[in-house]
Amino acid sequence: MTVTWASADAMRGFMAALPPGVALIVVDNASPDGTVAAVRAARPGAVVVENGSNLGFGAGCNRGLDRVSTEFALLANPDARLTAAAIAGLVAAADRWPAARLVAPLILDGAGRPVRSWNASQLRRRRMAGRRDAEPWPEGAFCADYASGACLLLRPAEGLRFDERFFLFYEDDDICLRAGGVLVEPGVGVAHEGGRSSGGSARVTWRKAWHMAWSRLLFLDLHGGHVRAEAWRMAGRHGAKALGHAATLRGRKLVGDLGALAGTLAWIGGRRRAI
């Protein structure tokens, strides 16, 4: 199952990699680029849920999960590349550890290199070293507070769903925390070319940065973080970075920091619904 918005190019690769016969549910958030037509042309048997507007990632996932009739649902971003071996490996891990509410693979980058796609919870992460590259890679399945939402396996019948207050970003941090953690199976690898699920215009960059900042503060507010202090720290950091990028004419970075600053100030100003 995947959620799309302006994902026609990414979905062509997604569907080309997906093994024949695997049931596919695509929830489209009113894509303007022909994503739905591309899906229907390549996978006539796919279940396509067309939302009349962009509901956000978590809400899109929930609409798809409500359509699942199998024991397991495998959520994957449009820029993930699933194989038969990866799907079978994740199901086997879920069967081996039935108490795990979420199961995640080892994420591989576009060059096939493993990525540390798991971490401590956001509530503990700031007390840990910023760079932890020296930590050994695990040799077997293990539990983590958090794993990337780029690819997650769960049992829909258990009722675990995304919090739809998160429009984009931090919905995976939130669901991992509410699930009590994630089982990570490093014996299963899934390629993920991050950032290619939707277009990269300046407007998209601004909106993503806005939601990244705003959703971080929502997460901290929901889970007992020091949200007020963090909001003002973020405002100062993004404001300073924006001035620096303006002075050095780094336009794309300037757009991102202005978006993050706007999202932070929206939270400080009392906005409690995403744009």
Side-chain angles (χ1 to χ4, degrees):
M1 190 193 86
T2 191
V3 176
T4 56
W5 181 82
S7 307
D9 289 341
M11 280 302 294
R12 291 184 183 97
F14 180 97
M15 293 183 292
L18 193 68
V22 173
L24 174 62
I25 298 175
V26 177
V27 181
D28 185 73
N29 274 327
S31 290
D33 67 341
T35 296
V36 169
V39 170
R40 287 186 166 141
R43 287 266 173 164
V47 174
V48 180
V49 180
E50 294 186 69
N51 293 326
S53 61
N54 190 346
L55 303 182
F57 179 76
C61 285
N62 290 345
R63 301 302 182 275
L65 288 170
D66 290 341
R67 301 290 292 271
V68 174
S69 58
T70 52
E71 180 182 2
F72 297 107
L74 180 57
L75 311 180
N77 283 1
D79 50 4
R81 301 294 178 257
L82 300 172
T83 64
I87 295 170
L90 289 171
V91 171
D95 283 336
R96 198 174 305 122
W97 288 282
R101 302 183 72 191
L102 294 172
V103 181
L106 180 67
I107 297 295
L108 310 174
D109 67 15
R113 297 176 298 236
V115 176
R116 291 185 185 270
S117 52
W118 64 89
N119 212 326
S121 122
Q122 287 284 345
L123 302 177
R124 298 197 299 122
R125 211 173 292 174
R126 285 198 172 276
R127 299 195 297 269
M128 304 172 72
R131 295 187 61 85
R132 290 149 51 203
D133 295 342
E135 292 181 4
W137 286 86
E139 296 182 0
F142 63 96
C143 292
D145 291 344
Y146 161 83
S148 168
C151 185
L152 289 172
L153 185 82
L154 57 80
R155 294 176 175 85
E158 292 187 358
L160 186 62
R161 295 293 188 270
F162 288 88
D163 187 330
E164 298 187 10
R165 285 173 288 186
F166 295 92
F167 182 86
L168 186 64
F169 301 120
Y170 286 89
E171 67 284 306
D172 48 359
D173 289 89
D174 175 77
I175 198 171
C176 289
L177 191 61
R178 288 187 290 108
V182 190
L183 176 76
V184 181
E185 176 48 88
V188 175
V190 170
H192 176 236
E193 299 182 5
R196 298 191 179 185
S197 293
S198 58
S201 68
R203 180 173 180 271
V204 170
T205 297
W206 191 94
R207 283 179 61 85
K208 283 184 174 181
W210 193 102
H211 286 291
M212 178 72 81
W214 188 91
S215 294
R216 173 172 177 76
L217 295 171
L218 172 61
F219 175 86
L220 293 175
D221 190 48
L222 292 175
H223 297 291
H226 300 292
V227 63
R228 184 182 297 275
E230 179 66 3
W232 285 109
R233 187 194 69 80
M234 287 169 56
R237 180 166 64 90
H238 290 299
K241 289 175 66 178
L243 289 173
H245 294 321
T248 55
L249 303 179
R250 302 176 75 178
R252 180 54 61 90
K253 290 185 178 295
L254 172 61
V255 169
D257 276 304
L258 288 175
L261 178 60
T264 303
L265 293 177
W267 180 274
I268 292 172
R271 188 180 186 104
R272 295 299 179 263
R273 292 180 63 86
I275 60 174

